[in-house]
Amino acid sequence: MKHHPLKLIKLNFTSELIYPRNIPAGSRVEGQSPTPEQFKITNYESLQLPTPDGETIHGYFVRPSNRSTARNITVLMFHGNAGNIGHRLPIARVLAEHIHLNVVMLEYRGYGLSTGTPDEKGLNVDAQTGLDWIRNNNETKNTSIVVYGQSLGGAVAIQLCARNQRAGDIAGLILENTFLSIRKMVPYAFPPAKYLAPLCHQIWPSEETMPQITEMPILFLSGIKDEIVPPAHMKHLYSICRSSTKVWSEFPKGDHNSSVAEPGYFDAIAEFIRKQIMGENEEM
């Protein structure tokens, strides 16, 4: 089957630029990615979740090691566009051990040990598969669900919450350094590719979808020195958010990948959980 040259450019642009799942090297090779044991995570399960369209999504279910301090909350965590969930295990460890939350972290189709090839439609199916697993798993089905997305994961989270908010079981949404849409982000993140942006059929229309989410509190975590996603994108998403409760937290020295390591990052999450999800006012 022959493809028109423009179609080939379009397919390659989408696959390699938007979803660089082979970066860093070894990200798709079993045994070459970080494991829970490397970060002293002992109370976890490895997940293999079948999707309705025939793929298998790999993930981890990480629990607090001290069950007596565990909160009745499960975080559904979506990663950025490179690497896999192994590279985000330190984040899961803090959420589980210091904020005492269950964490379900999935790697999208085509990433890590998941089957398939990534695209917008498929990633939305993967996200729904993860949410439905939490809803049906005996250990998590009666917990409050908080959806947490970083960068591309923020776009995935926005779409998932918009589709599911009326079910009433998503208690909150956390967004870090995410964008208005792929086409608006590309000219800033990849200037040489700015003329190819109209060819990109991966939309991720967060700017259009955000105003639809009105029934859950939302925390915005923004690195002001983000060199990939313009910080103005996060600010605009915050401004058009119609949720009755929205919280803004910025990190003056945080760039796209380092915001999570900035002082106060996890304090902001902990406070959001305590006040907006648990309804507590006293200090932790």
Side-chain angles (χ1 to χ4, degrees):
M1 180 179 177
K2 293 184 177 180
H3 292 288
H4 189 279
L6 272 180
K7 187 173 183 180
L8 288 174
I9 291 173
K10 181 178 181 180
L11 290 171
N12 188 62
F13 173 79
T14 297
S15 179
E16 301 305 322
L17 192 62
I18 307 302
Y19 306 113
R21 53 211 179 272
N22 295 303
I23 299 174
S27 292
R28 293 278 288 146
V29 180
E30 188 169 6
Q32 293 191 23
S33 293
T35 64
E37 288 81 5
Q38 289 176 245
F39 300 102
K40 298 182 180 179
I41 297 172
T42 56
N43 194 358
Y44 77 95
E45 291 180 27
S46 184
L47 305 176
Q48 298 286 339
L49 306 183
T51 68
D53 58 348
E55 303 299 346
T56 300
I57 304 305
H58 175 247
Y60 291 122
F61 174 29
V62 179
R63 309 175 186 87
S65 58
N66 184 349
R67 298 303 290 169
S68 67
T69 62
R71 294 190 163 106
N72 195 40
I73 297 169
T74 300
V75 174
L76 177 57
M77 182 175 170
F78 297 119
H79 61 80
N81 72 333
N84 58 47
I85 55 173
H87 303 111
R88 281 78 179 185
L89 281 166
I91 301 172
R93 187 178 191 279
V94 174
L95 295 175
E97 296 303 308
H98 297 278
I99 311 182
H100 314 296
L101 312 173
N102 298 310
V103 181
V104 173
M105 51 194 318
L106 304 178
E107 49 200 7
Y108 316 121
R109 62 187 61 204
Y111 282 79
L113 302 181
S114 297
T115 65
T117 301
D119 61 21
E120 187 170 357
K121 180 180 179 181
L123 267 62
N124 280 318
V125 172
D126 300 342
Q128 190 66 50
T129 298
L131 178 60
D132 290 343
W133 184 86
I134 292 172
R135 286 169 165 167
N136 292 298
N137 177 56
N138 286 336
E139 200 170 334
T140 56
K141 65 182 181 181
N142 294 318
T143 63
S144 298
I145 301 170
V146 176
V147 180
Y148 166 40
Q150 299 174 289
S151 190
L152 172 65
V156 175
I158 288 169
Q159 299 302 316
L160 181 71
C161 288
R163 291 195 308 271
N164 288 273
Q165 65 176 330
R166 292 191 177 180
D169 55 354
I170 300 179
L173 170 62
I174 301 173
L175 301 172
E176 181 210 308
N177 293 343
T178 194
F179 45 80
L180 296 174
S181 71
I182 289 290
R183 289 177 179 173
K184 287 191 174 183
M185 185 268 292
V186 163
Y188 183 91
F190 314 103
K194 63 182 179 180
Y195 298 110
L196 295 176
L199 298 176
C200 183
H201 64 287
Q202 303 294 287
I203 310 301
W204 292 110
S206 296
E207 184 176 17
E208 295 178 12
T209 308
M210 176 58 74
Q212 300 172 24
I213 304 174
T214 60
E215 300 176 24
M216 65 188 70
I218 304 176
L219 172 62
F220 295 79
L221 302 167
S222 180
I224 302 305
K225 291 191 175 180
D226 193 328
E227 75 287 10
I228 303 296
V229 176
H233 281 218
M234 280 288 286
K235 200 69 176 177
H236 186 62
L237 288 172
Y238 178 82
S239 70
I240 63 175
C241 174
R242 295 176 57 223
S243 172
S244 59
T245 301
K246 55 183 181 179
V247 180
W248 177 263
S249 187
E250 63 183 47
F251 307 95
K253 296 182 179 180
D255 62 26
H256 191 67
N257 292 313
S258 74
S259 294
V260 69
E262 286 297 299
Y265 182 94
F266 288 104
D267 290 338
I269 293 178
E271 183 176 17
F272 178 76
I273 294 293
R274 176 172 57 84
K275 290 184 176 180
Q276 309 304 334
I277 309 303
M278 302 179 67
E280 298 179 358
N281 293 314
E282 69 274 9
E283 294 297 323
M284 293 181 66

